[in-house]
Every structure is written in C-alpha cells, then in structure tokens.
Amino acid sequence: MSVLDQLNPQEDPYIGVICGKDYQLIEEVGKGKIGTVYKAVRQNPILNVACKVIPEGRLKKGWERELEKVTQLNGIPGVVQYRTHGAQIDKNNRTFVFVFFDFISGRDLRKIVADNNWPFNMAFIEGIAKTVLEVLFACQSLGIFHGDLHEGNILISDPDPRLPGSPRRTWITDFGYGGSHNSLKPKDDYRQLCSILANL
C-alpha cells in the first residue's frame, strides 16, 4: 500500500486490481448488501465481464453452493451467466472473493424506476413480467429458487448496436446470495415479483 493510499481512505481499494490473471477492475457499476459489482476488462483479446467483489468475512462457509443454482440455469434466456470465481488481495492487502458473470450493459430496475424521464409503458412492464416468470418456471422445474428477487437484481440491457432493431432485454442476477451470509429465510420469488410489478 502506498503513502497516497494511506492518506486517502476514500480511494476504492479494488479499482485497478487484477482478478482471474488478466481482468482489471476499472469501474464500479452496482452495489448490493454483501458485495459490489465492477466492470472488469481483459485487454488481449478485449473482453468485458461483470465482477462481483465480496469482502473477506461477508460469506459463510459453503457459499459456493449458491453458484450451483446459476450453473443449473446455464443457457436459460434472461439469466446472467456465471463464468468463474476465485480469491484475490485488494490494495489494502485484504482478501476478497470475486465472481465473474457476463457483463450486461444497461441499468438495474431500481435505477430505472427512479428516473422520471424513462419511457414507461405496458409493453415494457409486460416484458419484465414475461422474462421473470420464464426464469422462475425454470427454477421451479429444477427445484431451486432465486431467494432475493428485487428491483436491484433485475437488469434492463441497452439495445445491442450490432443487431438491427435490437430491443432492450430483461436479465435476472444474484441468485441466492441473500441466504448465503445470514440465517434469514429466503424471500418468496412469486410474492416478490407481484410486489415489483405492483410498484411499476
């Protein structure tokens, strides 16, 4: 740790850190109860991933089992796909766990609801409901649940400029982390969806 780091406790201890050998954390893109999501970039060849950073001591032993839910949902449309995970040291020499997911360029539903200029309409709300219900159907067929469904875990992607007429898409992320670090009973997914849609 440099003298500058010691004099500036507000500096992000993760920006600039290399994870997974060649992915550098470059900017914070989201924050949750137990971790922070960063955009991570690999230079050769260039590839962006979302990197969830979970500080030491925030997860219980065996938390990796929660990632099994995401791997069981591999290939299901609307599920942000898991890539890999590991451990690393931050700028303050503290251990943290990192989890790589596909990077979704866009915003979470919580930020969108707070944006008074966002063009809400019935088609937008119907699209969210349809995607979430399809993901929950997949979960139910596998005997698993999300467990922490809320506006912050629903992402709305930007249109893909590589595709003509590309629509915004709905994505679900953070499966089960709410039950990984405490003894709280997981939230009922369908009740949570009803609450989200009612708020919209």
Side-chain angles (χ1 to χ4, degrees):
M1 182 171 65
S2 69
V3 174
L4 181 61
D5 288 334
Q6 293 173 343
L7 295 176
N8 186 11
Q10 299 301 318
E11 181 176 341
D12 192 305
Y14 305 108
I15 295 292
V17 171
I18 305 293
C19 292
K21 295 184 180 179
D22 52 3
Y23 286 87
Q24 185 174 37
L25 307 186
I26 63 168
E27 67 175 307
E28 180 182 319
V29 294
K31 203 171 189 73
K33 292 178 183 177
I34 65 168
T36 304
V37 178
Y38 292 83
K39 182 178 182 180
V41 179
R42 183 185 68 193
Q43 291 300 328
N44 189 22
I46 292 178
L47 182 65
N48 299 332
V49 297
C51 179
K52 182 158 190 172
V53 168
I54 306 163
E56 185 177 27
R58 298 299 299 273
L59 289 174
K60 286 186 175 181
K61 184 178 179 180
W63 69 273
E64 297 95 334
R65 287 194 298 269
E66 297 293 350
L67 296 177
E68 293 176 7
K69 290 199 284 191
V70 187
T71 58
Q72 289 181 70
L73 293 167
N74 183 47
I76 297 297
V79 175
V80 178
Q81 297 299 305
Y82 158 79
R83 288 175 174 261
T84 189
H85 69 281
Q88 187 56 277
I89 304 294
D90 69 13
K91 293 180 183 177
N92 297 325
N93 209 33
R94 294 176 180 165
T95 303
F96 66 92
V97 168
F98 67 86
V99 186
F100 285 168
F101 294 93
D102 287 347
F103 183 78
I104 304 298
S105 178
R107 291 193 286 174
D108 67 52
L109 188 56
R110 180 173 291 146
K111 291 176 183 173
I112 287 173
V113 170
D115 182 356
N116 292 327
N117 295 318
W118 187 271
F120 277 97
N121 56 41
M122 189 57 68
F124 175 72
I125 296 171
E126 182 182 354
I128 292 171
K130 183 175 184 294
T131 297
V132 176
L133 284 170
E134 287 173 350
V135 171
L136 293 184
F137 177 84
C139 289
Q140 191 171 30
S141 70
L142 292 166
I144 61 178
F145 51 85
H146 186 287
D148 193 27
L149 190 64
H150 56 73
E151 287 89 344
N153 289 338
I154 298 175
L155 308 179
I156 307 300
S157 67
D158 297 327
D160 190 333
R162 301 169 301 174
L163 300 173
S166 173
R168 297 182 185 276
R169 293 183 57 194
T170 302
W171 298 87
I172 314 300
T173 189
D174 269 2
F175 283 76
Y177 289 112
S180 302
H181 68 292
N182 56 46
S183 58
L184 297 177
K185 184 178 179 181
K187 300 171 185 174
D188 182 282
D189 291 335
Y190 289 98
R191 287 183 180 276
Q192 287 302 113
L193 176 58
C194 286
S195 177
I196 291 166
L197 295 178
N199 288 336
L200 291 177

